[in-house]
Amino acid sequence: MKLEHQYNIRFKNDLTTCGVSEKDLVIAACSGGMDSMCLINAMLKVGVRFEVAHVNFKLRGEDSKADAASVKAWCEENNIICHVKHLPADEEAKRKGDGVQEAARRLRYDWFDELMNERGGGCIAVAHHLQDQTETLLINLLRGVSPSSLGCMASRNGNIVRPFLSWSQKEIKNWVKLDKVPFREDSSNKSPKYLRNRIRNEVLPLLESIRPGAISHLAEWTNRLRSQAAAVDIAMSDAARDIVKYYDGSSHNRPNEICRINLQLLQESAWGNRILDNLLADRQWPIGSRNQASLIKRSSIGAEVVYKDDSLVREREYLILRKIEEAIDLNKSDSECTLHTENGTIGDLSWTCEIETLDHDPPQSPETIWIDFYTLEHPLMWRKWKNGDKINPTGMEGSVNVSDLLTQWKVPHLSRPNARVLQDARGNILWVFVAGEEDVWSRISRKATLTKGAKRLVLEVKI
């Protein structure tokens, strides 16, 4: 009786540690096995308000039926409300393309949440214990998960509470024996086809034989790792605020841009690689694509990695993550247009013709060009630039490739496709114009002459 009293006091304290108050209605998950039957028995002993939830996946035929009947019988004997749900784990696994165990876990936790909300519950209690924690740690290590996942299970995670997490399986067995709690053995727990079973039945006994207490010592590491992971998450979050700038799509200049990443800060930060990797992982990039993206930091300007509708592009000072489909939509208005009339507007370009004594220099605005109307070879064409385009720029001798001009101006890679040229009927480039996100660049050709008293053609691009 003394040991049972100690167990009762300890369990009460563990419930408090999990944040369970006396007023809370607890939904207790119970499979009918020893651990979960001990859990509901413990709740009954200490006077917790609780209801039992049992899932029958019908994976073990008559044994599954017997499990449900055993849980219901205990609940009826002790006047506890019992909820039983039949869920198709096989069908869910086929639909999602994953294992039956994972599908079953997803289905039952979804139902537990629904039941808790329906019944006005405060939390969902599960019977994970110290050995489960050690098994999870070893599984995560074998799977190569991120360090932040090595903290494994917490005593409370959202609505899920685990009051037995510090209890050994031996202690749970003792309590079940003391109170003569009925339970059923799940034969599938012995099957070697499941990784967790092999760790439980083969690896852990071996570790205990090598070093007694190994199970509890490994489980203690999860608490340390969880604390360290929390500290790392805070440090990474602080660093990410400086490194990554997000856009909501409302900006006219960046409607397709998700975020931009400051390359210098990214490379200087101890968390830089993980910040980039987590950002892409949150957007469902697979590990292979994320590894490619990590190399783009040292690639040449214009280097790009694409996954589905996302594109990560290297600029001079930034990595830019954008949505490809929206970027393509922006170019639908970029077809060629011909200027036949003396006045008009096409898209962002407007033009007028004026005759006026020119007694001052043309304005220096990069969005505007003045040209002598009579010296032009009509019609004029306003089009996207292409490789091979050349201009005879004012203030320079000879000709220059438009591509070289864009390089000299340090036009961002993503803005270069938007550069346009004004071309006369002979193919001469009279004007090069490009609007970036924050700057505008333009250059006029020597062929675009303007004399006093000339009929002046004024072209202006609205930005």
Side-chain angles (χ1 to χ4, degrees):
M1 293 298 293
K2 184 178 178 181
L3 182 59
E4 185 176 3
H5 178 69
Q6 291 175 355
Y7 283 166
N8 288 344
I9 297 299
R10 179 180 171 185
F11 187 73
K12 277 186 177 181
N13 292 335
D14 286 334
L15 286 173
T16 301
T17 300
C18 292
V20 180
S21 70
E22 293 181 359
K23 297 179 180 179
D24 285 337
L25 172 64
V26 179
I27 302 299
C30 182
S31 66
M34 180 176 63
D35 302 335
S36 59
M37 288 300 295
C38 186
L39 174 67
I40 61 176
N41 178 72
M43 289 187 169
L44 182 67
K45 289 291 185 180
V46 302
V48 177
R49 289 182 61 229
F50 74 102
E51 296 177 3
V52 171
H54 174 81
V55 180
N56 184 355
F57 293 109
K58 299 182 179 181
L59 295 174
R60 296 169 21 254
E62 292 301 319
D63 282 345
S64 293
K65 291 182 181 179
D67 290 345
S70 177
V71 173
K72 286 164 59 176
W74 185 94
C75 291
E76 289 174 2
E77 181 180 343
N78 292 283
N79 296 316
I80 301 297
I81 295 175
C82 181
H83 307 274
V84 177
K85 184 80 169 180
H86 300 279
L87 294 172
D90 281 334
E91 295 177 15
E92 175 73 2
K94 291 176 182 178
R95 187 172 68 87
K96 290 288 188 177
D98 54 14
V100 173
Q101 294 286 317
E102 178 60 29
R105 181 187 182 281
R106 184 168 56 248
L107 286 174
R108 70 172 171 268
Y109 276 101
D110 286 347
W111 178 58
F112 292 158
D113 272 332
E114 292 175 8
L115 184 61
M116 182 191 68
N117 293 328
E118 178 186 318
R119 302 294 294 175
C123 62
I124 300 160
V126 293
H128 294 136
H129 50 70
L130 197 69
Q131 182 171 311
D132 293 322
Q133 184 79 303
T134 303
E135 292 168 6
T136 303
L137 173 63
L138 294 177
I139 289 171
N140 285 346
L141 286 170
L142 291 173
R143 289 175 174 170
V145 301
S146 67
S148 61
S149 297
L150 295 179
C152 303
M153 298 178 287
S155 58
R156 180 159 192 153
N157 184 10
N159 293 323
I160 306 297
V161 298
R162 300 179 176 89
F164 274 161
L165 203 54
S166 66
W167 292 60
S168 70
Q169 193 163 51
K170 182 179 179 180
E171 290 170 323
I172 292 173
K173 285 181 179 178
N174 286 341
W175 201 351
V176 166
K177 185 177 180 180
L178 279 171
D179 283 358
K180 297 181 174 56
V181 181
F183 66 90
R184 287 181 53 79
E185 292 282 359
D186 184 347
S187 58
S188 66
N189 288 336
K190 298 179 181 180
S191 172
K193 73 177 182 179
Y194 299 121
L195 175 61
R196 183 176 291 274
N197 287 352
R198 295 203 65 185
I199 290 175
R200 176 182 302 151
N201 301 323
E202 300 175 33
V203 177
L204 294 186
L206 176 61
L207 292 175
E208 280 290 322
S209 70
I210 295 172
R211 177 67 184 267
I215 292 175
S216 60
H217 294 158
L218 287 170
E220 287 171 7
W221 264 105
T222 63
N223 293 325
R224 300 170 193 157
L225 292 168
R226 196 179 311 112
S227 298
Q228 291 176 7
V232 168
D233 287 343
I234 293 172
M236 285 180 57
S237 179
D238 290 342
R241 277 194 290 269
D242 296 328
I243 294 171
V244 184
K245 183 176 182 180
Y246 288 91
Y247 296 92
D248 59 7
S250 61
S251 170
H252 174 71
N253 291 331
R254 303 184 182 96
N256 63 310
E257 192 168 319
I258 299 165
C259 66
R260 58 177 48 198
I261 302 155
N262 187 301
L263 266 175
Q264 181 178 347
L265 295 179
L266 184 74
Q267 292 168 342
E268 290 175 352
S269 173
W271 310 112
N273 290 335
R274 287 189 60 186
I275 287 172
L276 178 60
D277 188 72
N278 287 354
L279 187 158
L280 298 176
D282 287 343
R283 295 194 61 80
Q284 309 303 313
W285 282 46
I287 184 66
S289 296
R290 298 195 325 254
N291 288 339
Q292 290 180 26
S294 69
L295 301 176
I296 204 173
K297 303 189 297 291
R298 297 181 292 275
S299 301
S300 59
I301 295 171
E304 182 178 23
V305 178
V306 174
Y307 176 69
K308 290 188 176 180
D309 298 333
D310 285 355
S311 165
L312 185 69
V313 179
R314 165 72 195 272
E315 289 289 3
R316 292 179 182 274
E317 300 175 354
Y318 299 96
L319 297 178
I320 296 179
L321 183 64
R322 60 175 183 153
K323 296 178 182 177
I324 298 174
E325 290 183 351
E326 293 190 13
I328 294 173
D329 289 343
L330 293 176
N331 297 328
K332 289 182 178 178
S333 61
D334 286 334
S335 57
E336 297 179 353
C337 57
T338 305
L339 283 59
H340 292 287
T341 60
E342 294 186 7
N343 298 278
T345 300
I346 298 178
D348 294 335
L349 178 71
S350 63
W351 66 94
T352 59
C353 286
E354 303 174 358
I355 297 179
E356 175 181 315
T357 300
L358 185 64
D359 54 3
H360 59 275
D361 292 332
Q364 298 302 308
S365 169
E367 298 95 347
T368 305
I369 180 175
W370 292 3
I371 316 176
D372 187 334
F373 184 83
Y374 289 123
T375 63
L376 298 176
E377 294 287 340
H378 295 279
L380 304 181
M381 178 175 291
W382 179 246
R383 62 170 174 80
K384 293 284 292 288
W385 82 284
K386 55 189 177 183
N387 287 327
D389 282 343
K390 296 179 181 291
I391 186 173
N392 297 299
T394 56
M396 297 177 62
E397 294 184 359
S399 62
V400 174
N401 288 325
V402 171
S403 59
D404 291 338
L405 271 183
L406 299 179
T407 300
Q408 292 172 20
W409 291 338
K410 297 183 178 179
V411 177
H413 175 76
L414 293 179
S415 297
R416 291 190 177 202
N418 299 323
R420 303 188 74 96
V421 297
L422 182 69
Q423 174 184 301
D424 68 12
R426 292 190 176 184
N428 297 310
I429 304 298
L430 307 176
W431 191 30
V432 178
F433 174 88
V434 57
E437 297 166 346
E438 299 174 354
D439 296 298
V440 175
W441 302 268
S442 68
R443 181 59 67 90
I444 300 173
S445 168
R446 298 192 301 272
K447 297 181 180 294
T449 58
L450 184 62
T451 58
K452 292 184 178 181
K455 185 173 184 179
R456 184 178 64 189
L457 175 63
V458 183
L459 296 101
E460 182 176 9
V461 179
K462 299 293 183 182
I463 298 177

